[in-house]
Amino acid sequence: MNDFNNKKFEAGKTYYADIYLVSNDPYTFAEGTSVYVSGKKYTAVWTTGSSYKKYVSVYDIPFSVPSQEVSHTHTSSAWRTNQAYHYKVCTTCGELLEQEDHKGGIATCSQKGKCTVCGYAYIDENENHNPDMSKWTACGNVYHAHLCKDCGAHAVIEDHKPGPAATDNKPQKCTVCDYIIVPAKNHKHKLTKVVKVNATCTKPGSIEYYTCDGCSDFFGDKEGETKITDNVIAPLGHKISDNWNYDENNHWRICSVCNEILAETQMAHEIENEKCTTCGYDGTTIKIETNTDIDADTNNNNTDNTDSSLNNDSDGNNFSWLWIVLAIVIVAGVGFVFYWFVFKKIQKYKIGLLKKHQRL
């Protein structure tokens, strides 16, 4: 190292050093002695003039001077979140700049409460219903209720209040909700069909059934022979997708049925070796997908695929071109008939004029 004459090393540049080894008495170095420097094997050689093999050297050991850390002004990221708090980091060096617990937000019976700072849904749903106090809804033959505007639950319940007793022609009704408690004595069922409503992930549906206008009973058949007491289909619940979605700050999973982002799966990246250990995000490509293969049974209205199936055979081949050809043939045929009709009329008119002219 003496050759540098006390010059300053340049950061980032590679230099080579020689190492001299001296053995203590009475030891000497064997010929072919090896030395390991930073895990790399080097073969030592006898130093010139060393007759006793007490001095050996290892030449050209490379080393570099690390660059000095460049100072910078921190650039703050957007809020990043996990289940407990939100925080910001420097987008250049990753240093933590801000951190605070989630705050604010109000949960309801159908929605989680969201942090007013970062928007993370951190408060679980509760039973704080939002009843529609403007109307009563009959809920069977025992009570009526104000239903929750958000989830349809029976939020405020009250027993029926019977009106005058039933007669031959008039039923006994609840004076509050008009539910028919006792039908008229000569009552005959007049059934009205109620179509099926499919349940969704979060909202209930109902089966197909028949209701009687005169007694408020429910029936499973149009003849009114099978009375039913429960026509509700419970919400299906979310089905968590197997795949992670992510942006530059967080990753999450969606419901594979309705595509809703599931707040309980949303959290900030945990970066290790430049990749998120959970979703694999490496800072290059953002992945936000939605499920397009949604089961038709989960929609509120069933879709009739009869028309679209006419364009395909049993093997899925598209025959829409046949319809185009058929349309062209029909148009051409109509045009030909029209032309032929007009042509005949003109010919007949000309012949009539010619005969008239000959008579003259």
Side-chain angles (χ1 to χ4, degrees), residues 310-325:
L310 293 176
N311 293 328
N312 298 275
D313 65 3
S314 60
D315 293 327
N317 299 315
N318 191 303
F319 280 108
S320 58
W321 59 273
L322 286 178
W323 292 104
I324 297 173
V325 173

Side-chain angles (χ1 to χ4, degrees), residues 301-354:
N301 297 312
N302 291 328
T303 302
D304 186 358
N305 296 318
T306 305
D307 292 339
S308 62
S309 65
L310 293 176
N311 293 328
N312 298 275
D313 65 3
S314 60
D315 293 327
N317 299 315
N318 191 303
F319 280 108
S320 58
W321 59 273
L322 286 178
W323 292 104
I324 297 173
V325 173
L326 182 59
I328 294 173
V329 171
I330 292 173
V331 171
V334 172
F336 178 80
V337 171
F338 178 79
Y339 170 79
W340 182 256
F341 178 80
V342 174
F343 177 78
K344 284 294 186 180
K345 285 287 185 181
I346 294 174
Q347 287 294 100
K348 187 176 181 179
Y349 178 75
K350 287 182 177 180
I351 292 172
L353 288 177
L354 181 60

Side-chain angles (χ1 to χ4, degrees), residues 75-92:
T75 302
S76 178
S77 68
W79 284 113
R80 301 184 178 185
T81 63
N82 57 35
Q83 294 178 337
Y85 56 85
H86 46 257
Y87 60 95
K88 292 182 179 181
V89 299
C90 174
T91 58
T92 302

Side-chain angles (χ1 to χ4, degrees), residues 224-250:
E225 295 178 354
T226 307
K227 183 184 289 189
I228 60 175
T229 57
D230 186 7
N231 62 344
V232 177
I233 302 174
L236 304 176
H238 291 303
K239 183 178 180 181
I240 302 177
S241 170
D242 293 332
N243 301 318
W244 286 103
N245 288 281
Y246 45 78
D247 57 19
E248 64 272 15
N249 297 322
N250 308 303

Side-chain angles (χ1 to χ4, degrees), residues 110-185:
S110 60
Q111 297 289 332
K112 289 190 173 184
K114 294 183 178 180
C115 173
T116 55
V117 176
C118 67
Y120 183 78
Y122 74 109
I123 305 175
D124 289 336
E125 298 96 331
N126 54 44
E127 292 299 321
N128 294 329
H129 294 294
N130 180 24
D132 182 359
M133 302 300 292
S134 66
K135 62 181 180 180
W136 289 100
T137 300
C139 303
N141 59 359
V142 177
Y143 65 89
H144 45 252
H146 291 304
L147 304 185
C148 176
K149 295 179 182 179
D150 298 323
C151 70
H154 303 170
V156 179
I157 297 173
E158 179 183 275
D159 290 343
H160 290 309
K161 295 181 179 180
T167 65
D168 288 344
N169 300 316
K170 292 184 178 180
Q172 183 186 45
K173 292 184 177 181
C174 172
T175 58
V176 176
C177 68
D178 279 341
Y179 177 79
I180 298 174
I181 301 172
V182 180
K185 294 180 180 180

